[in-house]
Amino acid sequence: MHSDDHKIIIRADKRPSGSHERQFNAPTFNEVAVVIVAENVASRDIVLKRRDGGQLQRVYETHRSYDALQYPLMFCRGEDGYHLNIKMFNPMTGEETNKNASSMNFYAYRLMIRQDVDNHLLRYRRLFQKYCVDMYVKVETEQLNFIRFNQSKLRSDEYIHLRYAIATEGDAANIGRLTILPATHIGSPRHMLNMPKMR
């Protein structure tokens, strides 16, 4: 912004004084992974503070500017990322429907390879790997939040065998908030039980 005073200095051969000596080393592995511990998936927001001393502003991961703020090299023009009010389009008619697109739909579309169209995201190598992992966590978080907040729609209260096991074998004082993962959630215990047996 024109009102902000800023200076960008890039010197690849120097590192800032007082920083760790290996902080700017090139990565030594070709793989990128993410580890999510317990329920710490809700704190992936970006916090901004203007230089004029303004208050802190939180940018949630479902805000349209999150991707551009998290990956300024990939989205240097400030392209919109995923947000909750993106509408789906009917592929036959091309008309907008009243159904919202999920984050999985959005990122599958964004990462798709198309004939005669150059997808610049695929050229970022390791940064692209980090972006894919980060967006996968966003997709997984959206799915888990839907399951968590829609337990009544998923009829999880009808799992009589589970309630019986908790009442008879488990210690009710140690049970936290009960969330049942449906068989449609890939990787859940019920999904693993429903998978066909390999011969």
Side-chain angles (χ1 to χ4, degrees):
M1 297 180 67
H2 298 294
S3 62
D4 291 340
D5 293 329
H6 64 278
K7 181 167 53 172
I8 298 174
I9 299 174
I10 298 175
R11 295 186 63 186
D13 59 335
K14 301 289 184 185
R15 63 180 175 84
S17 62
S19 64
H20 190 273
E21 63 181 282
R22 292 184 197 82
Q23 180 177 358
F24 297 100
N25 284 5
T28 56
F29 293 99
N30 292 329
E31 298 178 358
V32 181
V34 66
V35 177
I36 301 174
V37 180
E39 294 189 15
N40 292 336
V41 294
S43 60
R44 295 170 24 88
D45 307 330
I46 297 173
V47 178
L48 301 175
K49 181 179 180 185
R50 290 183 58 88
R51 290 193 178 132
D52 59 4
Q55 293 183 342
L56 298 177
Q57 179 181 357
R58 183 174 295 274
V59 179
Y60 296 100
E61 71 175 342
T62 54
H63 190 276
R64 67 178 57 223
S65 299
Y66 180 85
D67 292 359
L69 290 169
Q70 185 75 4
Y71 297 94
L73 291 176
M74 297 175 89
F75 304 104
C76 57
R77 293 182 182 90
E79 297 96 325
D80 285 346
Y82 172 73
H83 56 93
L84 297 174
N85 296 322
I86 297 176
K87 297 295 184 186
M88 298 275 293
F89 283 86
N90 185 334
M92 299 298 182
T93 63
E95 295 177 4
E96 185 177 281
T97 65
N98 59 357
K99 184 177 178 183
N100 288 342
S102 68
S103 58
M104 185 169 63
N105 297 135
F106 179 83
Y107 290 111
Y109 177 80
R110 177 169 267 181
L111 299 176
M112 186 177 294
I113 299 172
R114 294 178 187 82
Q115 191 172 6
D116 301 327
V117 177
D118 184 28
N119 188 346
H120 75 282
L121 297 180
L122 304 176
R123 297 181 180 266
Y124 282 92
R125 297 185 183 184
R126 291 183 180 164
L127 184 61
F128 173 69
Q129 290 177 339
K130 182 181 181 311
Y131 174 76
C132 288
V133 169
D134 204 18
M135 296 310 111
Y136 175 77
V137 171
K138 188 187 284 192
V139 169
E140 195 74 11
T141 301
E142 182 183 54
Q143 291 176 351
L144 289 172
N145 282 337
F146 177 82
I147 292 169
R148 182 180 299 136
F149 298 123
N150 292 284
Q151 288 287 290
S152 60
K153 292 179 186 175
L154 299 172
R155 299 181 296 186
S156 61
D157 55 340
E158 296 178 7
Y159 300 140
I160 296 171
H161 300 294
L162 181 63
R163 284 190 292 155
Y164 178 75
I166 290 172
T168 57
E169 298 172 12
D171 183 6
N174 292 333
I175 296 174
R177 182 175 174 197
L178 186 65
T179 303
I180 308 295
L181 293 176
T184 55
H185 185 75
I186 297 173
S188 69
R190 296 181 66 228
H191 175 261
M192 302 304 270
L193 286 174
N194 288 344
M195 286 181 62
K197 301 289 186 204
M198 300 291 287
R199 292 186 185 199

